[in-house]
Amino acid sequence: MTKMKIAYINLLQTKVVGVNKKLEYLAKAIETNNLDIDVIVINNEIDQVINGVKYIKLPSKGFLDTFYRKFFRYKQFEKVVDFDKYDKIILRWSGLDLSVPNFVKKYGYKVISEHHANELVQFKENIHSMSTYVSYLLTKAMYSKFLKGVGGIIGVTPEITKSHLLKKNVPHTTISNGVNVNDISFTKYIPFDGSELKIAFIASSYSKWHGLDRFLEGLKNYAGDVLITLSIAGNFSKKDQDEIKLYEKQNIKIVFKGMCDEKQLDDILSNSNLAISTLAFFRVGIRYGCPLKSREYMARGIPFIYSYHDDDIDGQDNFSLKYPDDESAINIFEVIEFAKKVSENSMNISQNMREFSLKNLDWNKKILQSSDFVKEV
């Protein structure tokens, strides 16, 4: 039987830390499982291979290339990727594109569209002028044409998958995000000593869907005796840092660590009692999620708090504390009680989290699910 050749293609005009990390996890799993899948990132900056990911730069020689890159991306993609050499193509929706009709006519039968959000809902929430409204209407038309023209749909949550089923009987599946567990440091966590709660928040940048403000509002309402030390790693502007620092008081300490490399993250998390995962996906129209952040905390063996529906993690109350996905402030007293609970048997909890991750969250399992689905479509 001839081996099927597959392309997994993303458009990332500039580097996005979380997405790049996911793609490198994916490329490593593909190599481990000896699959014939090219992981390709079409971008505006570089032409090179990094950790198994092929970065291909779009043409940018003049006004016409810039115009096509903005409104006719798939036409530009055809200039840098030989679509004909692939049997199947997994492709993430890349936004408004007027070349969609021709693209799906030529290649739709072999394209599996992958979705990590309800993109149209997110676009609609950001309409703020007549021009963005017109752009939304054009995007909606092309989006519908695209989804009705592809050969299959992959969503990372059941909610997202369902929202993209515009064509009757289109093959579809749900495959959540994964991580390469063995490539993530097993940092564990330190037991809570009863007097100081050390909690970490990690993000590449400050976004509304992280929901850090919900935790900060909880700190504002908190008047207990336990000292709360919040360590924040990521690219936060001076303005954001100044606003967040206003939440400091006698029993609240906030420390900014800046952008951190893996070794620095290891040090922060191994010296924390708990971590904070995503607390406000609902602000971007998402109730179900599967962020890498939670999966990395699981692999590291550090308990965490979160606020969204996650089919991989929900119910694992021994090492995660789930809050309602709404605008309510996080109850800090509940967080302290959770820290006490997970400190009673920290070594076993960390080991259980690691084993759970290997069994349920590892990319080696999820890439085989993706490959099997694509081959059946």
Side-chain angles (χ1 to χ4, degrees), residues 42-178:
I42 298 174
N43 71 102
N44 296 335
E45 298 172 344
I46 57 173
D47 264 316
Q48 65 185 106
V49 178
I50 303 175
N51 295 327
V53 179
K54 297 181 180 181
Y55 292 85
I56 301 176
K57 187 177 179 181
L58 284 170
S60 56
K61 294 179 180 178
F63 170 77
L64 198 57
D65 280 335
T66 302
F67 177 77
Y68 275 121
R69 195 165 56 190
K70 188 169 184 179
F71 296 108
F72 295 87
R73 295 190 187 95
Y74 292 123
K75 190 176 181 67
Q76 290 290 83
F77 289 3
E78 290 182 62
K79 290 184 178 181
V80 295
V81 177
D82 182 3
F83 287 97
D84 292 321
K85 80 173 185 178
Y86 294 104
D87 300 298
K88 297 289 182 180
I89 301 161
I90 303 172
L91 184 64
R92 285 184 70 170
W93 170 253
S94 61
L96 173 59
D97 196 313
L98 300 177
S99 60
V100 161
N102 286 335
F103 181 78
V104 295
K105 185 176 180 180
K106 289 173 68 175
Y107 300 113
Y109 72 96
K110 65 164 72 176
V111 170
I112 290 84
S113 183
E114 185 187 67
H115 299 270
H116 291 242
N118 190 327
E119 300 93 348
L120 206 58
V121 170
Q122 291 184 358
F123 197 122
K124 190 174 183 179
E125 289 178 349
N126 288 306
I127 293 173
H128 53 76
S129 65
M130 181 56 70
S131 62
T132 54
Y133 179 67
V134 171
S135 181
Y136 165 74
L137 292 178
L138 285 171
T139 300
K140 185 177 180 181
M142 293 299 104
Y143 193 68
S144 176
K145 185 78 174 177
F146 183 80
L147 292 176
K148 290 177 180 178
V150 299
I153 303 286
I154 297 175
V156 295
T157 71
E159 175 188 42
I160 290 170
T161 303
K162 185 178 179 181
S163 71
H164 293 90
L165 302 181
L166 302 190
K167 183 172 71 174
K168 189 175 182 180
N169 298 325
V170 64
H172 60 275
T173 191
T174 298
I175 302 171
S176 57
N177 282 324

Side-chain angles (χ1 to χ4, degrees), residues 222-236:
Y222 173 69
D225 295 326
V226 172
L227 171 65
I228 310 296
T229 299
L230 171 62
S231 295
I232 299 175
N235 185 20
F236 285 66

Side-chain angles (χ1 to χ4, degrees), residues 11-36:
L11 171 68
L12 289 178
Q13 299 192 36
T14 57
K15 189 173 183 180
V16 180
V17 175
V19 179
N20 287 88
K21 182 180 286 189
K22 177 204 165 176
L23 295 175
E24 290 177 12
Y25 283 148
L26 178 64
K28 178 73 176 292
I30 287 168
E31 180 185 11
T32 300
N33 289 281
N34 193 30
L35 299 172
D36 194 5

Side-chain angles (χ1 to χ4, degrees), residues 1 24 82 111 161 203 206 210 257 263 310 312 320 328 343:
M1 184 178 176
E24 290 177 12
D82 182 3
V111 170
T161 303
Y206 192 24
H210 292 147
K257 301 288 188 176
K263 188 174 184 302
D310 191 321
D312 287 338
S320 62
S328 61
S343 295

